[in-house]
Amino acid sequence: MVKILAVYDEDPLYAERLAEYVNQRETIPFTAMAFSDLERLKAYGNEHEIEILLAGEGVKNQTDQVRAGLKMVLCGGEFSMEKENPSIYKYQSGDSILREVMTCYCAAPPEPALALAGARGRILGVYSPVNRCGKTAFALTLAQVLSKNWPVLFISLEEFAGFEAILGGQAPRDLSDVLYLCRQGGFNWMKLRTIVCSVGQVDMIPPAAYGEDLDQMEPEELAQVFGRIAGESGYGRIVVDLGHMGRGSAALLDGCDGVYMPVLKDPVSQAKIEAFDRYLGAAGAISLKEKIQRIQLPVIRGYGRLDDYMEKLLWGEMGDFVRSLLEGGLGNG
């Protein structure tokens, strides 16, 4: 069943642009419609179920007779999140507006959609037993290149990811909240969508602020979380920067559809890779080798500022490397 998000604002162009933005986000379980005429909005609401109505503060009093499951006010000044007609600041990014809408909607959804229709997304892990090999830079670039063809979600399991500059500041909620939802049995995609941030075309769950939160879940549980996201979220590809998971890496790798492993050729790095291979043998996970594609990454120089780091990765040596790698590779399977 299609869920309708209606936008009715005193500025018809604003309503059209916001509706267009919502419809471009493939992982939002709503179809947005812009209205500039009150009578047309009323007539539509009488014949169709409007799940959410976003109304400009200048026209909100006109919508009393419009049928809608949840009404929210798009305001340009003071706003509140009160139970009756909660409001949202309209002059912020579309991603921030959607996150606030989903937060309010999930507080008491009438009939929450627990999953989005569509095929299960592929989980692509990026892992290496070798330090300082460019793993995270590769993972971020991989997510960006894949986003040209699929909706992509990026997840980092790094203990200290340091993504504040990339995300435009400290995120109000992060992977720790996702793990809490799962431990409490309250996980569903509608709630998870309130945590996701967008960086360009890539959606991202902000990394856990405290690495200890990652230690509270067994690798098998984390693999189940990623499996649920892949099955329920509508993302075509989920890129997971696996961090250094130590002896629990086999279970997480097994939950991936494919794994990229950056390697280095120096003697110490080669010794670490050999130790990892012995670990797979001791863990009875030799079959995992078939999922792992070992790659040697290009050396990147001149990173510049962190706030435009992803753009430089995409259009630099790393981007060229990833685009070449994906031709017939794991990500396109």
Side-chain angles (χ1 to χ4, degrees), residues 41-62:
L41 174 61
K42 285 182 182 179
Y44 184 87
N46 288 334
E47 297 185 10
H48 303 83
E49 183 176 347
I50 298 176
E51 196 76 11
I52 300 174
L53 171 61
L54 304 181
E57 60 183 339
V59 294
K60 66 177 181 179
N61 294 332
Q62 302 174 18

Side-chain angles (χ1 to χ4, degrees), residues 269-309:
S269 298
Q270 288 297 309
K272 290 183 177 182
I273 294 167
E274 291 171 5
F276 174 73
D277 288 337
R278 290 194 296 272
Y279 159 66
L280 291 182
I286 294 296
S287 61
L288 277 179
K289 288 188 176 182
E290 299 177 2
K291 289 186 176 183
I292 299 173
Q293 182 174 345
R294 303 184 184 205
I295 54 177
Q296 188 163 5
L297 301 177
V299 177
I300 302 177
R301 298 177 177 85
Y303 285 96
R305 304 189 316 274
L306 191 58
D307 55 359
D308 61 356
Y309 176 62

